[in-house]
Amino acid sequence: MSLESEAGLPGDVLPGVLSESLHAELVAFRRDLHMHPELGNQEFRTTAAIKERLEKAGLRPRVLATGTGLVCDIGVTEGERPSVPMLALRADIDALPIPDTKTDCPYRSTVPDRAHACGHDVHTTVVLGAGLVLADLHAKGLLPRPVRLLFQPAEEVLPGGALAAISDGVLDGVGRILAVHCDPKVDAGRIGLRHGPITSACDRLEIALDGPGGHTARPHLTTDLVTAAARVAVDVPALVGRRVDTRAGLAVTWGRIESGHAPNVIPQHAELSGTVRCLDLEAWRSAPDIVHAAVDEIATLHRAKSEINYVRGVPPVVNDRESTDLLRRAMVARRGMKSVESTEQSLGGEDFSWYLEEVPGAMARLGVRRPGERTVRDLHQGDFDADEHAITVGVEMFTAAACLDVAASLET
């Protein structure tokens, strides 16, 4: 099947293929980032490295107001408002506060208790590589619409660095935004796509219960706080799950419960903390009220005073149909129909969702598993690594998307 029939463009070659020399450079760039991971809002070295390479290509990146992360426009004169909406390509640049446990890896982390164990170094390299290729296409008059590169800090810090980036104007003039996320369950050379929600909402819940305390011989004269905490732990998830459509997947899961110091003393204080996850955007918006009501109901029943700290995290990433189709067409144009597979909605959270509250867009799952490898190196684990062929795949998918998104570039 020719690229003409798949892509709907004239000619036999869709521009934007990655050269071997640039692939080698990008692999080296990714390995350098992997060796020097930086936590959210501390990505100064990472930001400087990206900025230096973009400037070397003749581009003019702007560091975000937070001091890390940057944006860079291609096909737009500095200070000029684009005549058509821009296509934005987003990467997150921060690492995780966990040790790198890989052995016999020449590019393992050199920073104690810091690792790129979520693939953000790959995401960053993919967007950088796409930017370099697209800048070259623009110089040749082959870029149909302006493109904005967005390198965002602090994705791993609730409620996510995306909010600060949006406040800094990164979506001004943007009509669509695209992203990838590494998926160690998908072979390199392939992507996973899903229209609609592809990740879940994730919030943090902290509850304090208080009562007068007393002797375990006389629980009827006080608030039996341990029992109250136990009932909150058991009954709140059950109540919450019955107050929304079960298909919304609203779930409270505890990670910590603590109370008391002696076996014959009813304590005066108890604490519970956990997460609230949700598959559905509308249910997530109502989750705080539902959780608050359930906690207050159970606490009051057991004569305990409750104090709730509900920390908003991120909503689900909800891919719009047109953007998802654009990624599908781009990948098929590059690597054929078999390079795209359907993916399930993940229970993980991603602050890319905040951008999609403002403009349409989509995130693809970028395969990083070495074909034939049986062991899955899961995300947020110290031994995580990626097949670096995924860099070429991601770059060429993004460049194809920029070339194929012609209809959107003609909007006024």
Side-chain angles (χ1 to χ4, degrees):
M1 185 175 292
S2 71
L3 288 178
E4 179 177 356
S5 60
E6 281 295 327
L9 290 180
D12 297 322
V13 178
L14 189 66
V17 176
L18 193 64
S19 67
E20 291 186 7
S21 60
L22 183 53
H23 170 75
E25 179 189 348
L26 292 176
V27 167
F29 188 90
R30 179 257 169 170
R31 292 185 177 189
D32 179 71
L33 294 185
H34 201 83
M35 293 172 66
H36 301 92
E38 297 174 301
L39 299 184
N41 295 317
Q42 301 174 23
E43 312 96 332
F44 297 103
R45 184 186 185 277
T46 302
T47 298
I50 300 167
K51 183 173 183 289
E52 180 182 5
R53 186 59 184 91
L54 291 173
E55 289 177 338
K56 183 179 178 182
L59 299 172
R60 295 187 175 183
R62 173 179 69 86
V63 176
L64 299 180
T66 52
T68 61
L70 60 158
V71 293
C72 183
D73 293 344
I74 301 170
V76 180
T77 304
E78 188 175 10
E80 174 190 45
R81 184 172 180 83
S83 58
V84 295
M86 287 186 286
L87 173 69
L89 306 177
R90 175 267 197 175
D92 37 13
I93 66 175
D94 56 326
L96 287 164
I98 63 175
D100 189 332
T101 60
K102 293 189 294 294
T103 58
D104 300 325
C105 178
Y107 52 87
R108 64 178 295 183
S109 173
T110 61
V111 183
D113 299 320
R114 302 288 186 268
H116 267 297
C118 197
H120 294 189
D121 54 333
V122 175
H123 308 164
T124 299
T125 305
V126 165
V127 172
L128 173 65
L132 297 176
V133 174
L134 292 173
D136 183 62
L137 292 184
H138 172 65
K140 297 175 180 177
L142 298 175
L143 189 63
R145 70 180 299 184
V147 174
R148 171 167 292 165
L149 312 178
L150 168 55
F151 300 92
Q152 177 215 303
E155 189 276 330
E156 299 286 354
V157 181
L158 286 179
L163 289 175
I166 292 170
S167 296
D168 198 15
V170 299
L171 293 181
D172 294 350
V174 170
R176 189 193 312 281
I177 187 167
L178 304 176
V180 293
H181 198 296
C182 290
D183 191 335
K185 299 184 296 299
V186 177
D187 285 348
R190 298 169 61 86
I191 64 164
L193 286 179
R194 175 185 174 89
H195 165 246
I198 194 172
T199 70
S200 299
C202 180
D203 300 334
R204 188 170 73 244
L205 178 62
E206 299 167 346
I207 299 172
L209 299 175
D210 290 286
H215 200 290
T216 57
R218 293 176 290 278
H220 60 293
L221 299 179
T222 185
T223 296
D224 187 352
L225 207 61
V226 172
T227 297
R231 295 318 310 178
V232 167
V234 173
D235 292 343
V236 166
L239 280 177
V240 166
R242 289 295 181 270
R243 292 181 176 177
V244 294
D245 189 323
T246 55
R247 291 171 295 184
L250 181 60
V252 176
T253 306
W254 306 109
R256 184 180 72 92
I257 180 169
E258 184 176 333
S259 184
H261 301 284
N264 62 341
V265 177
I266 294 175
Q268 297 178 328
H269 185 75
E271 294 181 356
L272 303 92
S273 59
T275 60
V276 180
R277 296 183 185 270
C278 188
L279 300 174
D280 178 75
L281 181 59
E282 292 305 317
W284 175 76
R285 288 172 174 154
S286 62
D289 291 338
I290 293 172
V291 171
H292 271 78
V295 172
D296 288 342
E297 189 173 320
I298 300 303
T300 300
L301 181 64
H302 292 274
R303 298 184 296 177
K305 179 183 177 182
S306 63
E307 183 176 336
I308 304 168
N309 181 26
Y310 194 108
V311 182
R312 268 306 202 190
V314 293
V317 171
V318 182
N319 289 345
D320 90 279
R321 188 175 299 278
E322 187 173 324
S323 300
T324 306
D325 183 61
L326 174 61
L327 287 170
R328 185 185 308 276
R329 290 189 295 120
M331 192 66 178
V332 168
R334 292 298 191 200
R335 300 183 180 272
M337 294 289 294
K338 293 183 178 180
S339 66
V340 180
E341 61 183 63
S342 297
T343 189
E344 297 179 346
Q345 183 177 6
S346 165
L347 285 171
E350 231 289 353
D351 78 347
F352 183 69
S353 54
W354 292 120
Y355 299 111
L356 303 189
E357 296 273 291
E358 307 292 331
V359 297
M363 170 177 281
R365 299 200 187 283
L366 180 67
V368 295
R369 181 176 62 190
R370 294 179 178 87
E373 185 176 37
R374 295 186 178 182
T375 301
V376 175
R377 302 188 182 196
D378 204 1
L379 301 173
H380 288 219
Q381 300 297 313
D383 66 345
F384 174 78
D385 201 2
D387 185 329
E388 290 166 328
H389 175 56
I391 295 172
T392 292
V393 175
V395 169
E396 293 189 352
M397 180 181 69
F398 275 160
T399 57
C403 293
L404 290 171
D405 199 17
V406 177
S409 71
L410 298 177
E411 295 176 0
T412 58

